[in-house]
């Protein structure tokens, strides 16, 4: 099962083409989903995408989250 977590106001395809996206994975045990979405919205507005599969979060953003931002996701 794949769960897509994205803000309700999705990013239009033309917007995502302007910014190169970085994809990375975070193990699910390190993430509180509500905190993750809050950090992503604060930093990237609607310009991110999260997929959850096999208890791993696959995240696409314009840049990687910093260590402090990752700590705020827990």
């Amino acid at each position: 099962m794949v769960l897509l977590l994205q803000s309700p106001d999705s990013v239009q395809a033309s917007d995502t083409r302007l910014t190169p996206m970085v994809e990375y994975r975070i193990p699910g045990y390190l993430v509180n989903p509500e905190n993750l979405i809050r950090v992503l919205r604060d930093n990237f507005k609607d310009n991110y995408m999260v997929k959850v599969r096999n208890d791993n979060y696959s995240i696409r953003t314009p840049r990687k989250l910093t260590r402090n931002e990752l700590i705020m996701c827990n």
Side-chain angles (χ1 to χ4, degrees), residues 44-74:
F44 306 112
K45 307 282 187 243
D46 293 330
N47 195 17
Y48 66 87
M49 188 161 87
V50 177
K51 295 180 187 177
V52 181
R53 179 180 238 174
N54 298 330
D55 201 32
N56 286 293
Y57 288 80
S58 177
I59 301 170
R60 291 185 62 185
T61 55
R63 64 166 175 80
K64 278 192 155 186
L65 293 172
T66 65
R67 183 175 182 189
N68 287 337
E69 290 167 342
L70 287 171
I71 291 169
M72 292 174 19
C73 293
N74 194 333

Side-chain angles (χ1 to χ4, degrees), residues 11-61:
V11 178
Q12 295 179 359
S14 60
D15 292 341
T16 58
R17 290 185 198 143
L18 298 175
T19 307
M21 302 291 267
V22 177
E23 186 169 349
Y24 49 102
R25 289 179 175 76
I26 303 174
Y29 68 89
L30 295 176
V31 175
N32 174 319
E34 292 176 4
N35 293 343
L36 173 64
I37 296 303
R38 185 177 315 115
V39 168
L40 292 172
R41 283 184 181 160
D42 288 349
N43 287 285
F44 306 112
K45 307 282 187 243
D46 293 330
N47 195 17
Y48 66 87
M49 188 161 87
V50 177
K51 295 180 187 177
V52 181
R53 179 180 238 174
N54 298 330
D55 201 32
N56 286 293
Y57 288 80
S58 177
I59 301 170
R60 291 185 62 185
T61 55

